[in-house]
Amino acid sequence: SFIIGGGQIYKIALEANLVDKIYLTKVHHSFNGDTFFPKLGPEWKEVSKINYKADNNHAYDYSFLTFEKNK
């Protein structure tokens, strides 16, 4: 199952211990906004990271990250 939410949905799912793996796209740019993905605690380990540079289809550099929860 996947959780595709907003900031509060992610927060609730993490707090309820419903998540053991996170697929995260991080855009390397600073944006104005009021909703953010919750900060991950030390129980989360980055297990994969693929970096991409900005190109004709993407205005900013970005990374695909995978985190797994330590058991």
Side-chain angles (χ1 to χ4, degrees):
S1 298
F2 285 87
I3 298 171
I4 303 171
Q8 283 301 107
I9 299 295
Y10 294 134
K11 183 176 185 280
I12 290 167
L14 288 166
E15 288 174 352
N17 202 28
L18 299 174
V19 181
D20 58 6
K21 185 177 278 191
I22 297 171
Y23 299 102
L24 179 73
T25 302
K26 181 176 183 178
V27 179
H28 301 286
H29 185 76
S30 183
F31 296 95
N32 290 326
D34 61 359
T35 304
F36 302 92
F37 190 83
K39 291 193 184 287
L40 297 176
E43 70 274 16
W44 290 96
K45 179 181 177 183
E46 182 182 306
V47 296
S48 175
K49 181 177 184 180
I50 304 170
N51 296 313
Y52 294 92
K53 293 291 186 185
D55 59 23
N56 290 338
N57 295 316
H58 305 93
Y60 307 103
D61 294 350
Y62 62 101
S63 299
F64 288 134
L65 302 120
T66 304
F67 293 89
E68 290 182 354
K69 192 170 188 177
N70 295 324
K71 296 182 181 193

